[in-house]
Amino acid sequence: MRIVLFTEAYLPHVGGVISHVSFLAEQLSSLGHEVLIAASDLTARDFHLDHGVLRCPAKSARNAYGFSIANPGSNEFSRILERFKPDLLHVHTASPIGQAAVKFANRYDLPLVFTIHEYFESQLHYLCSRIGEPFTKIKYRGLFRDMVDNADIVTAPSKKAEEYLHASKSKVPLTIIPNQVDSYFFHYQNIPESKIQHLRRNLNLPPDSTVAIYAGRLTIDKSVELLLEQWAAQIKPSDNLHLLVVGDGPEAEPLSVWAHDLKIGSQVSFVGAVPHEKMPEYYAVSDVFVTAAHHDLMSMAALEAVACGLPTLLPHDKWDSSQVREGVSGFSYRSAREFGEYLKKFASLSPHRKQILKRVVRSSIQDIPQHAFATQILDVYNEAVRLHSYDGDKEE
């Protein structure tokens, strides 16, 4: 099968959707399918192919990445896709490049799969002023509904998206496919102890401190400011805990200032953007993954951390418990006090007990077959092709 994956941004940029698309492309290719990735690129001067990626010229835009495709109606964009001769389009964004994919699919009568990774409301901070928010919300809800209505199948990594689809008044059924990561690449045993100690020194981490890590885009919807507030309220310097914040984004500078205002600057290190291939090293120097985000459908960074043996500490979510296997791969907390109590328990563990915990966490994913994720996606693709070719309404 010849498949085009559409995403707002792609490597070398980092982010959950980018990691998801990269992993999916690798798995599909390893099973013999031909994959093209189409993505906006602020450095691209023209539409061109770059090692399996269609790099599309981008312009500055108010969104999480700060850019978007400059000319989604370009003839060259269409010509390159035509030459690839896709059998199916898989869209991972409702942004302009995703909308261009819908137009191309309709023009050439191609099956289309749309995956919901996030709520468009979580990006309203960047798309408009507070005064214009009601109008912008209506506009983008319409765009989202258009994406859904044009898709043969809609997928999401969490049942939480069912409520979101219902609110959009869409009757398209949702297929749940939990996210997965490359468990062979993200494995703490692949990182030599000498490299771990070298990185700890470079990061100026106290030799015997327990390290918590947050990894992800620094955007308002990730609630990193709340994470810092919880830390300030519950963790004291004497607790011997340190927080690594790995990632970049529009909130990077305000968050750094906020940490100092909270008087936890000495307990928090803002690392900045880290290349995706280097992330296993940063998980390897850490002991626990933390977040305060409620909007994630399923955090790719948390899954990567689990693969590296890190227990995850996530806010309780009444809609979805699949992100954490409670007491095995991590814990969910309901208050800042519980957040602090869990962290202090991790800090109280001896080095030997921490190693045992890593093995337990890692074992929670070891029974997942190597190509399980791609196999599930391919089942969706085949069903989308069947539904698209069905003579009549898409619903049976």
Side-chain angles (χ1 to χ4, degrees):
M1 188 178 289
R2 300 172 68 85
I3 305 148
V4 185
L5 307 177
F6 293 82
T7 174
E8 182 58 40
Y10 195 60
L11 301 173
H13 296 280
V14 294
V17 178
I18 294 170
S19 297
H20 174 95
V21 171
S22 174
F23 179 56
L24 175 58
E26 288 175 5
Q27 285 222 331
L28 291 171
S29 297
S30 70
L31 292 175
H33 300 277
E34 294 187 56
V35 180
L36 176 66
I37 297 166
S40 306
D41 190 327
L42 201 57
T43 66
R45 295 179 180 270
D46 54 20
F47 292 88
H48 66 278
L49 293 174
D50 174 26
H51 297 90
V53 180
L54 170 53
R55 302 282 181 180
C56 306
K59 61 182 178 180
S60 296
R62 293 188 63 183
N63 58 30
Y65 288 98
F67 60 84
S68 180
I69 187 171
N71 184 10
S74 166
N75 290 332
E76 186 60 21
F77 176 74
S78 295
R79 279 195 289 270
I80 293 174
L81 292 177
E82 288 169 12
R83 288 197 292 270
F84 184 72
K85 298 179 180 178
D87 299 307
L88 177 141
L89 309 183
H90 187 172
V91 180
H92 295 265
T93 174
S95 66
I97 196 169
Q99 296 157 30
V102 169
K103 291 179 181 178
F104 187 86
N106 289 337
R107 179 180 176 184
Y108 290 94
D109 194 25
L110 292 169
L112 186 142
V113 173
F114 175 52
T115 294
I116 303 172
H117 288 283
E118 59 187 4
Y119 303 150
F120 71 82
E121 288 93 344
S122 66
Q123 299 302 320
L124 286 178
H125 312 281
Y126 308 107
L127 298 172
C128 64
S129 66
R130 182 163 293 183
I131 294 175
E133 191 168 301
F135 173 77
T136 305
K137 184 178 290 188
I138 293 171
K139 174 186 175 182
Y140 277 85
R141 183 175 288 139
L143 290 173
F144 173 80
R145 175 68 183 272
D146 186 59
M147 296 292 299
V148 169
D149 288 346
N150 277 279
D152 294 282
I153 293 182
V154 177
T155 76
S158 164
K159 289 178 69 67
K160 192 190 302 186
E162 287 181 347
E163 182 187 32
Y164 192 60
L165 265 184
H166 179 72
S168 74
K169 299 181 180 179
S170 171
K171 296 182 180 179
V172 176
L174 183 67
T175 300
I176 305 298
I177 303 179
N179 287 337
Q180 291 182 26
V181 299
D182 188 342
S183 59
Y184 295 90
F185 178 68
F186 288 99
H187 196 322
Y188 65 93
Q189 290 184 344
N190 293 335
I191 313 300
E193 182 62 26
S194 59
K195 184 171 285 189
I196 294 174
Q197 294 306 321
H198 178 72
L199 183 56
R200 286 185 72 101
R201 288 192 296 272
N202 284 349
L203 293 171
N204 294 315
L205 296 173
D208 58 345
S209 63
T210 295
V211 179
I213 183 172
Y214 165 83
R217 291 285 296 168
L218 300 185
T219 52
I220 290 175
D221 58 299
K222 299 302 182 182
S223 300
V224 181
E225 80 287 351
L226 177 57
L227 178 65
L228 297 176
E229 289 169 11
Q230 291 176 167
W231 189 282
Q234 300 296 321
I235 306 302
K236 299 179 177 62
S238 59
D239 292 321
N240 203 24
L241 280 151
H242 197 87
L243 175 62
L244 285 183
V245 178
V246 179
D248 201 358
E251 303 306 312
E253 185 175 348
L255 288 169
S256 179
V257 171
W258 186 227
H260 282 85
D261 288 347
L262 291 169
K263 296 181 171 53
I264 57 173
S266 63
Q267 297 172 259
V268 182
S269 297
F270 286 86
V271 176
V274 170
H276 190 248
E277 64 271 16
K278 292 286 187 180
M279 280 307 302
E281 299 176 21
Y282 284 81
Y283 292 128
V285 303
S286 307
D287 299 289
V288 56
F289 178 90
V290 293
T291 183
H294 284 275
H295 295 292
D296 284 339
L297 291 180
M298 183 170 281
S299 168
M300 290 295 291
L303 295 175
E304 292 170 356
V306 168
C308 282
L310 298 190
T312 55
L313 191 52
L314 282 65
H316 176 73
D317 186 346
K318 66 178 181 178
W319 297 109
D320 184 41
S321 60
S322 61
Q323 180 79 71
V324 173
R325 290 179 60 185
E326 196 73 26
V328 179
S329 63
F331 301 89
S332 57
Y333 62 90
R334 296 173 181 268
S335 65
R337 181 180 57 80
E338 283 191 0
F339 170 80
E341 288 175 350
Y342 277 123
L343 281 178
K344 291 170 188 176
K345 286 179 181 177
F346 292 134
S348 70
L349 296 176
S350 67
H352 177 65
R353 296 298 297 177
K354 286 179 181 177
Q355 283 300 117
I356 292 175
L357 182 58
K358 278 195 171 187
R359 289 198 294 270
V360 170
V361 172
R362 169 71 189 184
S363 68
S364 69
I365 64 163
Q366 286 181 339
D367 58 348
I368 300 175
Q370 182 179 358
H371 293 103
F373 181 60
T375 300
Q376 287 180 290
I377 292 291
L378 284 169
D379 287 343
V380 167
Y381 289 172
N382 289 326
E383 180 65 4
V385 171
R386 187 188 71 81
L387 289 172
H388 192 80
S389 63
Y390 182 71
D391 186 18
D393 193 272
K394 289 183 181 179
E395 294 184 6
E396 291 187 79

